[in-house]
Amino acid sequence: MKRQHHTPSTLLKPRAITLLSTLTLAVCGFLLLAPRGMAAGKDTLNASDVQFVKHAAAAGLAVVKLAGLGVQKASRADIKAFAAMIVTDHAKANAELTQLAATKGVELSAVIDPRHADTFQQLEKVSGPDFDKQFLAEMVRGHQKCVSSFEAAASAARDNDVKAYAITTLPVLKSHLGKALELSPTTSVTPEPDNTARNVRDRDPASTLTPLDQGSSKNDLAITAQIRRDVTALNNISVNAQNVKIITLNGRVTLRGPVHTAEEKSLIGAIADRIVRSKSVDNQLEVKPAPTGGN
């Protein structure tokens, strides 16, 4: 019988196949087990977009918690239904934002911030018509701020996914704001401090800029958005101060609306000065102290 001879390459072939298979399984296992960002190269956002995502997540977390309290404690059936709608819509928006943040490498806090926690505790202490009144007022104030922030992101966010999220969510927020105003007695809600024409008519004829005069250039929109984000990031300032009008036209910034203290006016002016040259900022903010017991 003729003896069969094996070349070295023939003898090594099974081992090579086994080794290759092992390496392939190891690499595939790593890719399957690695976080999504690690496998595909996690996107990163600029500072402004990160700030928007974090603020939107914090606001979304707070509004769901407050609306849950509304479902439990509201004395009117229509307010209970409104609160339930808020919980459903914002829970969905929060889930979408959480997924977006994960793909962009942004870490979100799962803890409600102290300011919103204080509001929750205050609402827990009241009931009946008083609860309804305060709950709706908080929904109006919170949604005014959210609408303003999302409008800025829809116009000026650098990341396309962040911008798309803001554009998609904005109509829902505006709908909630409209419903909150509709349900509110005319005497129960503080007049809108920002996105209305109420503050337009009390100006000198030479200074009649309104938000409609906001420049549409990329630079003007970016300046307004950056100032808005930095202002809303300030701690311990009034709702009015957080919602002042910021109008940028051809690189020149006009600040308008009421604030509660001279310090608030100075802080907001300093933010605008830092983002654009001081000579390009017209600080028309008016100091109007809050009534006793107000914000």
Side-chain angles (χ1 to χ4, degrees):
M1 180 180 296
K2 188 175 181 180
R3 191 172 180 179
Q4 186 175 2
H5 294 280
H6 297 279
T7 63
S9 60
T10 304
L11 290 172
L12 291 176
K13 188 173 182 181
R15 289 185 62 191
I17 293 174
T18 301
L19 180 59
L20 179 60
S21 300
T22 302
L23 289 174
T24 301
L25 288 172
V27 171
C28 290
F30 173 77
L31 291 176
L32 288 171
L33 294 174
R36 179 178 176 182
M38 188 181 296
K42 184 173 287 185
D43 294 329
T44 56
L45 305 179
N46 65 15
S48 295
D49 287 355
V50 168
Q51 190 175 47
F52 165 73
V53 169
K54 288 189 173 184
H55 285 175
L61 183 67
V63 77
V64 168
K65 188 173 180 65
L66 292 172
L69 193 61
V71 172
Q72 298 173 24
K73 298 192 64 174
S75 64
R76 286 167 42 187
D78 55 352
I79 297 178
K80 280 183 178 289
F82 170 62
M85 178 180 69
I86 292 288
V87 171
T88 300
D89 291 348
H90 277 271
K92 179 177 181 292
N94 291 353
E96 293 171 354
L97 184 58
T98 298
Q99 182 178 3
L100 174 62
T103 66
K104 303 298 178 180
V106 179
E107 294 185 5
L108 302 179
S109 174
V111 180
I112 188 170
D113 67 62
R115 183 164 180 255
H116 290 131
D118 289 344
T119 301
F120 183 86
Q121 291 172 2
Q122 291 169 10
L123 284 172
E124 277 189 314
K125 297 174 183 178
V126 295
S127 58
D130 285 341
F131 175 86
D132 294 347
K133 177 180 177 180
Q134 293 183 37
F135 172 74
L136 289 173
E138 186 59 37
M139 289 297 103
V140 169
R141 283 192 291 266
H143 279 84
Q144 283 175 340
K145 291 170 60 178
C146 283
V147 166
S148 178
S149 175
F150 274 68
E151 283 179 335
S155 298
R158 296 290 182 86
D159 183 87
N160 288 334
D161 295 328
V162 172
K163 178 175 286 192
Y165 173 78
I167 291 172
T168 302
T169 309
L170 189 55
V172 178
L173 297 176
K174 288 183 174 180
S175 173
H176 291 169
L177 176 57
K179 188 63 176 178
L181 289 168
E182 177 188 325
L183 293 171
S184 302
T186 56
T187 57
S188 69
V189 180
T190 303
E192 296 174 46
D194 180 22
N195 298 315
T196 71
R198 289 189 177 98
N199 294 321
V200 173
R201 296 186 294 272
D202 64 355
R203 297 293 180 185
D204 183 87
S207 303
T208 56
L209 283 178
T210 77
L212 294 177
D213 297 308
Q214 165 69 43
S216 59
S217 71
K218 183 176 180 180
N219 185 55
D220 285 347
L221 292 171
I223 289 171
T224 293
Q226 183 60 62
I227 296 173
R228 173 68 64 197
R229 292 189 181 103
D230 286 3
V231 168
T232 55
L234 292 173
N235 294 322
N236 301 320
I237 65 172
S238 65
V239 172
N240 279 5
Q242 290 182 332
N243 288 278
V244 296
K245 292 182 175 69
I246 303 166
I247 307 157
T248 307
L249 183 62
N250 298 325
R252 180 177 176 80
V253 175
T254 300
L255 303 172
R256 305 190 61 190
V259 293
H260 288 183
T261 66
E263 182 182 9
E264 287 183 344
K265 177 176 180 177
S266 177
L267 282 172
I268 295 170
I271 288 174
D273 287 344
R274 173 168 48 81
I275 294 173
V276 298
R277 295 182 179 180
S278 298
K279 65 181 181 180
S280 298
V281 177
D282 183 10
N283 191 343
Q284 297 181 15
L285 299 177
E286 291 185 340
V287 178
K288 294 183 177 181
T292 303
N295 242 344

